Amino acid sequence: MRIKNLGVIDDAVVELSSGFTAVTGETGAGKTMVVTSLGLLCGGRADPGLVRAGTTGAVVEGRVSLPPQAPAARRAAEAGAELDEGALILSRTVSAEGRSRAHVGGRSAPVGLLAELGEELVAVHGQTDQQGLLRPARQREALDRYAGDAVAGPLAAYRETYERLRAAAAELTEITTRARERAREADLLRFGLEEIAAAEPRPGEDTELDAEAERLGHADALATAASAAHAALAGDPADPEGVDAGTLIAGAHRALEAVRSHDPALAALADRLAEIAILVTDVSGDLAGYADDLDADPRRLAAVEERRAVLTHLTRKYGENIDAVLAWAEKGAARLAELDSDDERIGELTAEHEALRGRLGELAQVLSEARTEAAGRFAEAVTAELTQLAMPHARIRVAVRQTEVPESSVGGEWVRLADGRTVAYGPHGADEIELLLAPHPGAQPRPIAKGASGGELSRVMLAIEVVFAGAAPVPTYLFDEVDAGVGGKAAVELGRRLAKLAETAQVVVVTHLPQVAAFADRHLVVEKTSDGSVTRSGVTVVHGEGRIRELSRMLAGQEDSALARAHAEELLATAARSLPAAHGGAGAERERRVQREHGGDRPDRPL
């Protein structure tokens, strides 16, 4: 990662080991900014207060190695991003005014995409997350994640049935509680349908009647015009001397016919005149027929206007024209049939509701059994971790309980389990999950927030985090000072457990414990300059002598203390010996990886 103008960091580059990276430094040196930077790259909230004073904005860039088939790589590709030699480039910019921009694989992207990718890339385990794990809902989610497919499959089926049950219950409630309103709607529909049926309108009838009314209303003018046009074309019998269009056209045709053989062009004109003569004869006949057939009966006009009034009454109430009125009637009939079948529908919904509730009870039972089995395995795993963290007598138990309710409860929010109990249910099942701790033999298990001291709680939460981390399908785990309150032998064991996790995943730990830092593959030290900033040279990889000096500072606050140096060397030797002995070939491979990545005891170098 490259971090610029974020908090106390002016400009620094952080290169993380593929195994276990420890980040240390004086209080206030900027270690937490490393965690904050990773959070920003994973879609975390952009706080303008993080921008370094006197600058316009902060920038965090990250290069993440990913195989092309990884879920995060596929999701980025869907968004149009491209891998750069097997790496995905992420970028986040935060302005001093609070604006935030994100880039994924060289393309501008919404911050939400970074959050989606972050869920696939990094699991954050910090003190804030510890407090989150004290909440029952978070404990249930964590247990379900730990259980894997054994819970995921039944839970998906449960949620589908749960949604169907809610839909059936909502429809049933609507029908029964809105009975009066639905009856009123049915009466209005029935009245409208009867009114339309009584009128018996035909599709397009209003348009036809409008045209007929227009014709009848101007019948005299139409008859006069048709007669005048007919006389002009065919002649007026009352005026023998009158010249009509037909006679004139016939004369013109005869004149051309006499000479058509002398010029083809003139012959064509003669043919066109013949066609005109035929057309004039046809039009003249049609005009005569039109005038004879024109109905000027005022009684027919009155009947048409009366019918138009009936149709207009319908279009004012049910649609802009008769076709729209008929469409309303079709929909209204379907809705009326639905309303009239309420009693039948209530019966169907009641039967469906009971069947779904029965099915939901079966799935809730399967979920409870799967969670109970996973709870036992999880409790054993956490208890084993606590033994390694100097709490050999502590015991973790995961309580999986249900709340019994009577069948007569308000709203009927209950399902029946296989043992006959009726219990409350929700979108995640009928179980209430609670982590309990018995810190010593004979102690009654109590909620972890109440059953452990401050130091014990840190170790309990660390054990839980490590176990949960193994269940999270992500390649990187970030632990932010979750070792607070841990020391001595427990701190050594903590370092060993984190190093073991680093055999199969990338682990980043911000720590103040030298016992933890001694187990790291790569040790980063964050240092401020004299002006209080962290520059490019302020994030340093330490090896050999430099690492001993940093561990001495963490142990005694004095880099040159002979006793602290001896203790630091002992811690490094213990870490180097314990992993190969404890984990065989995996530990030896880790030793070789450290040598490859750090080049043995090279001098300290800035990233």
Side-chain angles (χ1 to χ4, degrees), residues 194-218:
E194 291 174 355
E195 192 172 26
I196 295 172
E200 297 182 347
R202 293 180 290 101
E205 183 181 1
D206 51 341
T207 303
E208 296 173 4
L209 289 176
D210 289 345
E212 186 177 0
E214 183 73 13
R215 185 172 65 254
L216 291 173
H218 298 82

Side-chain angles (χ1 to χ4, degrees), residues 432-514:
E432 298 172 4
I433 310 298
E434 188 171 29
L435 299 180
L436 306 175
L437 170 69
H440 52 80
Q444 289 296 319
R446 302 182 63 196
I448 55 176
K450 301 177 181 178
S453 64
E456 289 174 334
L457 181 60
S458 292
R459 279 178 278 176
V460 170
M461 298 308 294
L462 279 169
I464 292 173
E465 296 284 13
V466 171
V467 172
F468 279 161
V474 294
T476 300
Y477 303 100
L478 174 63
F479 295 86
D480 179 20
E481 296 190 11
V482 289
D483 50 11
V486 177
K489 181 180 179 181
V492 175
E493 293 300 331
L494 170 61
R496 183 177 286 110
R497 306 310 289 173
L498 290 171
K500 179 183 177 183
L501 180 61
E503 299 287 352
T504 56
Q506 183 180 41
V507 176
V508 182
V509 180
V510 178
T511 181
H512 59 84
L513 291 181

Side-chain angles (χ1 to χ4, degrees), residues 185-201 307 310 313-314 317-318 325-326 328-330 332-333 336 340:
E185 182 185 358
D187 286 343
L188 290 174
L189 285 172
R190 191 173 288 107
F191 175 82
L193 291 172
E194 291 174 355
E195 192 172 26
I196 295 172
E200 297 182 347
R307 181 61 177 172
V310 171
H313 175 73
L314 296 180
K317 297 173 66 174
Y318 307 111
V325 170
L326 292 173
W328 181 92
E330 184 177 354
L336 182 60
D340 285 342

Side-chain angles (χ1 to χ4, degrees), residues 407-421:
E407 294 186 13
S408 59
S409 62
V410 177
E413 297 293 326
W414 56 266
V415 292
R416 181 175 285 105
L417 301 182
D419 57 10
R421 291 181 300 141

